[in-house]
Amino acid sequence: MAASVVKAPKCPRRGSVKDVAQGAPRTASTSSKEANWNWWLLLATVFLVTFATRFYKVTEPDHICWDETHFGKMGSWYINRTFFFDVHPPLGKMLIGLSGYLTGYNGTFPFEKPGDKYNETRYQGMRYFCTTLGALIMPMGFDTVYDLTRSHEAALLAAAYLVFDVGLLTLNQYILLDPILLFFMMASVWGMVKISKSTASGGSYGLRWWFWLFLTGTMLSCTISVKFVGLFVVLLVGLHTATELWLILGDLGQPILETAKQLACRAITLIVWPILLYVLFFYIHLSVLNRSGNGDGFYSSAFQSRLIGNSLYNASMPRDVAYGSVVTIKNHKTGGGYLHSHYHLYPKGSGARQQQVTTYTHKDENNRWQIRPHNKQNLPKGKPQILRHGDIVRLTHVATKRNLHSHNEPAPMTKKHLQVTGYGELGVGDANDAWRVLIVGGKVNETVHTVTSRLKFIHLLQNCALTSSGKQLPKWGFEQQEVSCNPNVRDKYSQWNVEDNEHKLLTSVSFSVYAPGFFARFLESHAVMLQGNAGLKPKEGEVTSRPWQWPINYRGQFFSGSSYRIYLLGNPLIWWSNLVFLALFVAVFLFNAVVQQRRAGFARSAAQDQPVLAPDSETVAQGEESEPSTTDVCSCCLPAEEKVPKAVPGGSLEAPNPAQSLRAAAWLFVGWVLHYLPFWAMGRVLYFHHYFPALIFNSLLTGVMFNYIMRVLPKWIHHVVLGLVLSILVYSFAVFSPLAYGMSGPLANEPNSTMHNLKWLSTWEF
């Protein structure tokens, strides 16, 4: 039995296929222009509304709000070229400093605490800069969703979810790293989508394709150069790029060399180029901050020797350490502090009530100790006696005249260690003041050198090593770090070095030869930042939060208190509906996966049961030819489940389909997961504002899923529902906008407050 050839039907609404083919370009061109105008009109609307809402009251309140006290101060230090320590990479703070400098700020305002008035300080430029970057997130979000879905409705709703969230508005209006971080993150995703679009349209290796590759690489580098959480968007772009390369590899119409070329181009622009930029940002950072500041003590002695004004800069001091030397002793671990003591005693219940010994990360007179013989009260006379590997010494605190001491009492924080105290009067103590000095890897009679010798101090009687546990003492210890004596003498944190060395009888030498180069300082900066980030703990009375609280908008955060209140809280309608659409995506995605798997199974089963039919020889001999399918050229004959093609900027027509929208939603869901779930594993202190990168992905996902669900309805109903949703968003924004623009009068928990009816949760504190 031969199979018959089925001719393609003619278009029911137009003439022959040939006529349709001739008329299609003119129709497509008209539709393209109309869609292009619609796209530009909507984008202009998003720009206008975004900038209007963001720049309204941007200079109010005219006092320091929340973390402006930190980042404004750091911007001042860049202007003054004063070195400081921070747990974040430098780019965001450099840009804040640059924006202030370019707008007339001179870097003299102290930024001491929230609530301090700016008075005549020209702080406005820094706020305008941060607000501008924050405002650009919304147009990029609009264009990103449009490129993913080819839907004006999806793009508009996604942008509206970002524009009308009062939380994002609050976070964008102040001198903070967050608007800078979110801008670079959104720009990275925008570039990622543009690369995919350009590649799919056959634009590989063209000028525009290279532009988007380099732009995306630049934005990735900038994101991680503002905060280390920028690594999450790097992972997202990396996963997306790997997926694209895998699909290119599977395209049998392309030679395998094409995959190699694509891989090489993306490696250069998305890996090598961002790394070079990242290193360049740190080079600028370390070159600008060349003057000694309050962050010196977090870094090694060698690092400090590069800072103008530091005691080690072009230092001239004795190379050898001798008995009688007055020294400062620094813990050799990354970010280690100076051995320190003061007149205050350990409290009751924290061991013996003797003088506290701690490590302190700032230079201070209480860091100075004198090296003395363990068994003699007086120092050796005549020629200085050099300190050598294996010598037994007493360390006498210069300011209080008490000796470094340990005994068989547990340390205040690390109970497995022994307590270290200051003991004695005028340098006279007991046998528990004796310590053996060992050079790490040293030999008998080897001389102890300033800065370069790594030392261990082993207690002579208790046989434990002087160490810094890294644990922060409570307020009675001024939140300095605990010093203890570890019975495990191999403790990696028990290594120290002599930093400052004073002795009248020893010849001084220059220490400039020990100053490290750029890459040594680059690596040390990262070690110090990562350690500082991991060790961040909440201050007493500080409001923190946990990741489970963020998506549900459980508790906000005060940006400004007193009579003019600013409260960081998300628009509850936006945040809670985001969760609904997030759950809806998971359900739809899983359902579609099951359906597709079942269809694939039916297809395989049908293929096995269907006999293979040979073409009818008579039909072939007659040379009958079928006309081309009308669906190839006529949009009116698309299958029912497909959408009508839409024009995109640039004039091309593409027919979006549900699968395309679902794939777009899947990548946005991956972005949300990468920017939210890792916080559950973090041990450091966390705050509400850490959720906002994930919020952006969730809001974009909402726009895509809303359009996916509404596609089954007639277009006019779709637009009516969209208009209703946008109206609700605008109204909710107007109602909750005082949280961002400023509140006065009674708190919301009082019945006579204008915000009383908006306190929907008891945990909201505005």
Side-chain angles (χ1 to χ4, degrees):
M1 185 173 67
S4 61
V5 176
V6 180
K7 295 184 179 181
K10 291 185 178 181
C11 179
R13 302 184 201 172
R14 298 178 187 168
S16 67
V17 173
K18 184 177 180 181
D19 295 335
V20 174
Q22 290 174 349
R26 184 167 55 86
T27 306
S29 177
T30 304
S31 179
S32 172
K33 289 179 181 178
E34 182 182 348
N36 214 5
W37 275 108
N38 290 340
W39 183 86
W40 282 110
L41 180 62
L42 290 174
L43 181 64
T45 303
V46 171
F47 260 109
L48 182 63
V49 176
T50 299
F51 277 78
T53 55
R54 264 58 191 167
F55 283 91
Y56 177 64
K57 288 190 171 184
V58 69
T59 58
E60 298 179 22
D62 60 348
H63 60 246
I64 300 172
C65 292
W66 191 50
D67 268 358
E68 285 188 326
T69 187
H70 297 306
F71 302 117
K73 187 183 299 179
M74 292 170 187
S76 300
W77 283 332
Y78 275 107
I79 293 172
N80 298 319
R81 307 192 68 174
T82 303
F83 190 80
F84 64 93
F85 164 71
D86 186 45
V87 297
H88 303 301
L91 180 61
K93 293 157 293 189
M94 286 197 296
L95 292 175
I96 288 172
L98 178 63
S99 66
Y101 177 76
L102 294 177
T103 54
Y105 172 58
N106 59 11
T108 57
F109 188 71
F111 284 95
E112 287 184 353
K113 63 182 185 300
D116 286 357
K117 287 282 186 180
Y118 283 117
N119 297 322
E120 301 301 317
T121 302
R122 303 193 68 174
Y123 69 97
Q124 298 92 338
M126 291 183 282
R127 279 201 184 168
Y128 284 136
F129 170 73
C130 292
T131 303
T132 300
L133 292 190
L136 291 173
I137 294 168
M138 291 69 189
M140 287 191 293
F142 171 87
D143 194 38
T144 298
V145 172
Y146 184 77
D147 279 342
L148 287 171
T149 63
R150 305 296 177 212
S151 167
H152 293 120
E153 294 82 2
L156 182 61
L157 185 64
Y161 262 64
L162 298 176
V163 171
F164 297 120
D165 179 43
V166 291
L168 263 178
L169 169 62
T170 305
L171 207 61
N172 286 352
Q173 284 193 313
Y174 299 98
I175 306 170
L176 303 172
L177 295 185
D178 298 273
I180 304 173
L181 173 75
L182 296 176
F183 166 78
F184 287 134
M185 181 201 76
M186 189 67 246
S188 299
V189 177
W190 185 46
M192 175 189 80
V193 173
K194 290 293 186 183
I195 294 169
S196 183
K197 176 185 174 185
S198 182
T199 304
S201 63
S204 295
Y205 316 115
L207 185 61
R208 179 174 295 184
W209 186 76
W210 280 109
F211 169 79
W212 287 117
L213 277 173
F214 274 104
L215 178 71
T216 305
T218 302
M219 293 300 103
L220 288 174
S221 183
C222 290
T223 308
I224 201 169
S225 297
V226 174
K227 285 188 176 183
F228 284 126
V229 292
L231 177 64
F232 301 149
V233 79
V234 173
L235 291 175
L236 175 65
V237 174
L239 286 172
H240 189 269
T241 302
T243 302
E244 279 202 332
L245 291 173
W246 185 252
L247 293 175
I248 293 171
L249 179 64
D251 183 1
L252 298 182
Q254 298 282 355
I256 197 168
L257 183 61
E258 173 65 16
T259 305
K261 287 169 61 179
Q262 289 275 353
L263 176 61
C265 293
R266 294 172 194 240
I268 291 169
T269 54
L270 301 181
I271 299 176
V272 177
W273 172 245
I275 290 174
L276 292 176
L277 281 180
Y278 184 77
V279 174
L280 175 63
F281 294 146
F282 268 90
Y283 182 82
I284 296 171
H285 162 70
L286 294 173
S287 298
V288 172
L289 300 185
N290 62 353
R291 301 181 184 278
S292 179
N294 63 4
D296 296 11
F298 289 93
Y299 295 83
S300 69
S301 305
F303 189 105
Q304 295 178 47
S305 67
R306 297 296 299 263
L307 299 174
I308 299 171
N310 189 282
S311 60
L312 294 175
Y313 181 74
N314 287 337
S316 181
M317 66 178 70
R319 173 78 172 117
D320 300 332
V321 180
Y323 287 93
S325 292
V326 175
V327 299
T328 58
I329 301 172
K330 193 175 192 303
N331 192 267
H332 200 71
K333 73 176 181 180
T334 301
Y338 297 95
L339 189 65
H340 177 95
S341 189
H342 38 239
Y343 282 104
H344 301 274
L345 307 181
Y346 286 103
K348 186 176 181 181
S350 298
R353 285 184 54 78
Q354 296 175 9
Q355 185 168 295
Q356 296 175 16
V357 174
T358 64
T359 57
Y360 187 49
T361 52
H362 302 285
K363 291 182 179 290
D364 189 271
E365 283 298 309
N366 282 328
N367 299 342
R368 289 156 54 87
W369 301 81
Q370 187 175 48
I371 298 173
R372 306 171 67 89
H374 78 285
N375 55 359
K376 297 178 183 177
Q377 192 58 32
N378 297 322
L379 294 171
K381 294 183 179 180
K383 185 178 179 180
Q385 184 177 338
I386 301 300
L387 183 65
R388 301 185 185 279
H389 173 77
D391 284 2
I392 301 173
V393 301
R394 272 183 299 145
L395 293 173
T396 302
H397 191 241
V398 173
T400 62
K401 305 300 181 186
R402 290 194 167 122
N403 299 328
L404 188 70
H405 175 98
S406 187
H407 46 226
N408 195 22
E409 288 277 348
M413 306 294 290
T414 312
K415 298 302 182 182
K416 292 182 178 180
H417 293 188
L418 302 182
Q419 185 186 30
V420 174
T421 67
Y423 179 77
E425 295 291 339
L426 299 177
V428 179
D430 62 17
N432 278 321
D433 301 343
W435 301 82
R436 186 183 301 277
V437 181
L438 300 177
I439 301 173
V440 176
K443 300 176 182 178
V444 177
N445 290 328
E446 183 177 337
T447 301
V448 175
H449 294 306
T450 308
V451 177
T452 57
S453 292
R454 284 185 294 159
L455 308 175
K456 281 180 175 282
F457 295 91
I458 307 298
H459 195 267
L460 191 62
L461 298 185
Q462 303 297 336
N463 195 35
C464 56
L466 183 72
T467 189
S468 173
S469 68
K471 295 181 179 178
Q472 192 177 63
L473 295 170
K475 281 211 165 182
W476 55 257
F478 305 96
E479 297 181 342
Q480 296 171 11
Q481 290 194 338
E482 177 191 45
V483 169
S484 59
C485 201
N486 190 352
N488 177 15
V489 296
R490 296 180 180 178
D491 182 359
K492 63 180 180 179
Y493 296 144
S494 64
Q495 297 182 19
W496 306 77
N497 68 272
V498 172
E499 182 169 291
D500 296 296
N501 180 14
E502 300 174 12
H503 198 292
K504 295 179 181 179
L505 302 180
L506 289 176
T507 303
S508 296
V509 297
S510 174
F511 274 76
S512 59
V513 294
Y514 300 106
F518 164 70
F519 282 104
R521 291 186 296 150
F522 173 78
L523 294 174
E524 183 175 339
S525 295
H526 282 77
V528 173
M529 283 189 297
L530 292 171
Q531 180 172 296
N533 225 320
L536 284 177
K537 303 298 179 187
K539 299 179 178 64
E540 190 170 327
E542 187 176 27
V543 177
T544 62
S545 60
R546 297 304 306 162
W548 69 266
Q549 300 173 343
W550 303 340
I552 61 174
N553 214 19
Y554 181 77
R555 176 184 286 118
Q557 189 171 321
F558 267 113
F559 266 42
S560 174
S562 67
S563 59
Y564 194 98
R565 301 190 303 280
I566 304 291
Y567 192 71
L568 177 66
L569 185 73
N571 184 329
L573 296 185
I574 289 176
W575 285 53
W576 295 341
S577 62
N578 267 341
L579 289 182
V580 172
F581 281 101
L582 195 71
L584 196 60
F585 162 75
V586 174
V588 170
F589 188 83
L590 292 177
F591 175 78
N592 273 270
V594 171
V595 168
Q596 287 182 14
Q597 184 67 10
R598 295 294 294 172
R599 283 178 179 171
F602 286 133
R604 287 193 298 269
S605 177
Q608 291 172 358
D609 296 339
Q610 182 70 33
V612 179
L613 300 177
D616 183 69
S617 58
E618 294 181 6
T619 305
V620 174
Q622 291 172 1
E624 291 186 13
E625 295 181 1
S626 61
E627 298 182 54
S629 172
T630 313
T631 57
D632 292 339
V633 289
C634 180
S635 63
C636 71
C637 296
L638 286 172
E641 69 270 17
E642 298 287 341
K643 291 186 179 180
V644 176
K646 293 185 180 181
V648 298
S652 62
L653 285 172
E654 298 187 26
N657 55 63
Q660 183 180 0
S661 293
L662 208 57
R663 283 195 298 271
W667 280 111
L668 295 172
F669 179 76
V670 171
W672 178 83
V673 168
L674 288 174
H675 286 80
Y676 175 56
L677 292 189
F679 287 101
W680 286 82
M682 292 187 186
R684 56 153 289 176
V685 60
L686 297 173
Y687 301 99
F688 179 50
H689 70 95
H690 286 138
Y691 182 67
F692 280 83
L695 173 74
I696 289 178
F697 285 99
N698 199 167
S699 296
L700 301 183
L701 174 63
T702 294
V704 175
M705 288 306 299
F706 176 84
N707 190 69
Y708 179 87
I709 295 165
M710 298 299 294
R711 78 188 192 282
V712 298
L713 299 177
K715 207 67 175 177
W716 70 270
I717 296 180
H718 188 170
H719 287 166
V720 167
V721 175
L722 178 63
L724 181 63
V725 171
L726 291 176
S727 301
I728 293 172
L729 292 180
V730 172
Y731 177 74
S732 65
F733 174 80
V735 169
F736 283 96
S737 62
L739 297 177
Y741 292 137
M743 300 170 284
S744 57
L747 294 171
N749 56 6
E750 299 180 26
N752 61 338
S753 171
T754 57
M755 305 295 289
H756 181 69
N757 292 331
L758 298 179
K759 189 177 170 66
W760 297 352
L761 295 181
S762 61
T763 49
W764 295 354
E765 303 160 321
F766 55 83

